[in-house]
Amino acid sequence: MSTIPAPFQPAQRILMGPGPSDVPNRVLRAMAAPTVGHLDPDYLRLMDEVRTMLQRIFHTDNALTLAVPGTGSAGMEACIANLVEPGDEVIVCVAGVFGARMKDVAERYGARVHAIEIPWGETLSYEMAKGYLDSYPTAKMFCIVHAETSTGAHQPMEELARLVSASEMLFVVDAVTSLGGMEVRVDDWKIDACYSGTQKCLSCPPGLAPVTFSAKAIAAMDARKTKVANWYLDMSLIRNYWSADRAYHHTAPINMTYALHEALRVVFEEGLLERFSRHRRNHLALRAGLEAMGLNYIPERSLYTLNCVRVPAGVNEARVRKELLERYGIEIGAGLGPFKGQAWRIGLMGASSSERNILMVLTALEGLLRDQNVKFPEGAGASAAAAALKKMSLVSFDELS
Ligand SMILES: *Cc1c(COP(=O)(O)O)cnc(C)c1O
């Protein structure tokens, strides 16, 4: 018996990194319900309810809306694998890790990628997007990350959506760090394929990837000359399981779907507008606090769900993250790519976006920065955040948005 490991008992963390985010207990409890079969009538009803709630959160009437097994990257792979055929030209905006991943995935399926490389932390301008659309009119798809988690930059969508929808191209959008925290309007923005993940602003454990495809995307899939090179994520097969046919394709991750169902119920109980307003308010409060401590945001247009700030000169950033975790149980993220060692990424996603977490992280950070001789007035961060929250509690959502 001595070879059996002890039960795994993870510490209770406060997850303020780039994902996963804190998971409400009721979502965890939902996962512990009895496992049923993937063709059990009760489960099929649950799938239908999940689809309806996903359509609402994506703001779409797309019939082909569902959750594929796997994390956010599986959603990316599902969208690209099903729409790209070898030799297709694809435009991808690369402004960070996840744009680069889209390019990599598209190339693996044989696409000829025209990458719009822009500096990390920046967003794609209308002029630059138009230049690429004009230069590569035969491209089949235009791919972009709405919320680039590696830089914290928020890509504005309305203008870009108008531009892409005026072309014949399929519009593919990564909404992993926006869905559930910021508005994602699939139909209004004429998005043809959009994907997300459960563990960011939906505050559900990682394991499912919500995806949605427009009628135009389905037509492109139906017109394929080659089979989808990924059997597991082939939508022509998965579709038959989520449709009235209920044809077996893979055994659905049953208990993960319970969790997603509950996480979506949490979202709609709060209400989408309330939820987006909370994310915005808490971001502005955290921002006020961090700036009062002399920390600067890297992106010009910051996400509400992820705060990417520059590490002050002379500070050992890894030590700060380690002490936040070990002494206070708070997880924040490190910089990636060109921001490695230079940035912290503080997530305010889903349940993690709370006043409590903001005041806690600012207070903890203050002590750790003082230990490393960073100078600012005592209590500056938490009191600036508290003042910002108080001020914002006096204005209505209309004024905020
Ligand atoms: C996290 C993330 C992904 C990948 O999701 P995983 O769940 O890690 O597979 C893709 N795109 C963006 C923008 C992300 O933040």
Side-chain angles (χ1 to χ4, degrees):
M1 292 304 280
S2 63
T3 55
I4 301 177
F8 179 60
Q9 288 179 312
Q12 182 76 58
R13 304 290 196 206
I14 294 162
L15 298 176
M16 302 185 75
S21 60
D22 287 339
V23 179
N25 286 335
R26 58 186 273 197
V27 173
L28 295 174
R29 276 198 302 272
M31 287 184 87
T35 303
V36 298
H38 60 281
L39 294 173
D40 190 295
D42 285 351
Y43 186 71
L44 300 179
R45 189 170 43 83
L46 180 87
M47 287 168 72
D48 288 343
E49 289 177 1
V50 166
R51 176 179 16 233
T52 303
M53 288 192 283
L54 288 177
Q55 287 169 328
R56 274 175 72 189
I57 199 169
F58 273 124
H59 288 285
T60 185
D61 293 329
N62 287 342
L64 191 54
T65 301
L66 48 90
V68 296
T71 62
S73 304
M76 181 188 292
E77 188 126 8
C79 290
I80 293 174
N82 282 278
L83 295 174
V84 168
E85 287 194 82
D88 283 345
E89 283 179 84
V90 171
I91 300 174
V92 181
C93 176
V94 179
V97 166
F98 295 105
R101 186 174 297 180
M102 282 179 121
K103 171 173 182 281
D104 184 9
V105 173
E107 284 171 350
R108 285 164 190 249
Y109 287 99
R112 287 195 291 133
V113 173
H114 305 294
I116 316 180
E117 302 269 358
I118 59 176
W120 280 46
E122 291 186 13
T123 47
L124 178 62
S125 68
Y126 179 86
E127 292 70 30
M128 196 143 179
K130 185 161 191 333
Y132 270 76
L133 282 159
D134 291 346
S135 303
Y136 303 105
T138 52
K140 181 179 186 181
M141 275 157 67
F142 187 101
C143 306
I144 194 156
V145 178
H146 180 206
E148 181 49 84
T149 323
S150 61
T151 67
H154 175 196
Q155 179 65 50
M157 296 297 291
E158 275 87 359
E159 263 195 337
L160 186 63
R162 272 196 296 278
L163 196 57
V164 179
S165 67
S167 76
E168 295 289 297
M169 290 176 212
L170 294 164
F171 192 23
V172 179
V173 174
D174 176 319
V176 177
T177 292
S178 45
L179 193 74
M182 296 171 12
E183 203 134 52
V184 176
R185 305 194 69 89
V186 166
D187 288 359
D188 290 347
W189 297 344
K190 307 263 192 314
I191 296 173
D192 294 299
C194 189
Y195 60 88
S196 190
T198 44
Q199 82 275 27
K200 304 213 176 162
C201 301
L202 297 177
S203 274
C204 182
L208 285 174
V211 293
T212 185
F213 294 93
S214 70
K216 184 171 154 191
I218 294 172
M221 291 188 237
D222 290 345
R224 288 181 68 100
K225 294 185 199 68
T226 57
K227 272 191 181 180
V228 174
N230 184 318
W231 180 86
Y232 195 52
L233 296 171
D234 183 340
M235 293 309 301
S236 70
L237 304 174
I238 293 181
R239 229 157 114 177
N240 296 333
Y241 173 49
W242 280 76
S243 71
D245 289 359
R246 303 296 185 185
Y248 165 72
H249 172 253
H250 62 271
T251 309
I254 310 285
N255 293 56
M256 264 314 297
T257 314
Y258 300 169
L260 177 58
H261 183 268
E262 190 63 15
L264 289 166
R265 281 177 23 78
V266 171
V267 169
F268 290 110
E269 274 178 22
E270 180 175 15
L272 286 180
L273 284 185
E274 272 305 317
R275 194 173 174 92
F276 300 151
S277 148
R278 168 169 61 85
H279 279 80
R280 181 171 192 271
R281 190 170 59 234
N282 288 338
H283 156 72
L284 292 174
L286 179 70
R287 180 170 194 139
L290 292 170
E291 288 179 344
M293 286 160 58
L295 297 172
N296 297 315
Y297 274 66
I298 292 178
E300 195 180 322
R301 291 166 184 272
S302 177
L303 293 166
Y304 304 152
T305 52
L306 191 105
N307 299 267
C308 185
V309 290
R310 203 170 286 287
V311 175
V315 168
N316 179 336
E317 75 81 21
R319 202 172 100 201
V320 171
R321 275 187 296 113
K322 184 165 180 280
E323 292 188 356
L324 272 177
L325 190 69
E326 288 177 357
R327 288 172 57 184
Y328 305 107
I330 301 174
E331 177 179 282
I332 66 167
L336 293 176
F339 300 148
K340 192 169 168 7
Q342 320 258 314
W344 287 310
R345 290 181 301 145
I346 306 176
L348 289 176
M349 301 182 188
S352 295
S353 172
S354 69
E355 297 187 12
R356 178 196 73 165
N357 284 0
I358 290 168
L359 297 177
M360 217 152 36
V361 77
L362 288 168
T363 307
L365 207 49
E366 165 159 345
L368 299 177
L369 289 175
R370 279 182 189 288
D371 288 349
Q372 295 200 42
N373 295 317
V374 182
K375 304 259 186 284
F376 49 84
E378 206 168 316
S383 60
L389 284 167
K390 183 156 186 212
K391 195 168 136 216
M392 285 185 284
S393 73
L394 303 175
V395 299
S396 70
F397 175 74
D398 288 346
E399 292 170 76
L400 269 179
S401 59

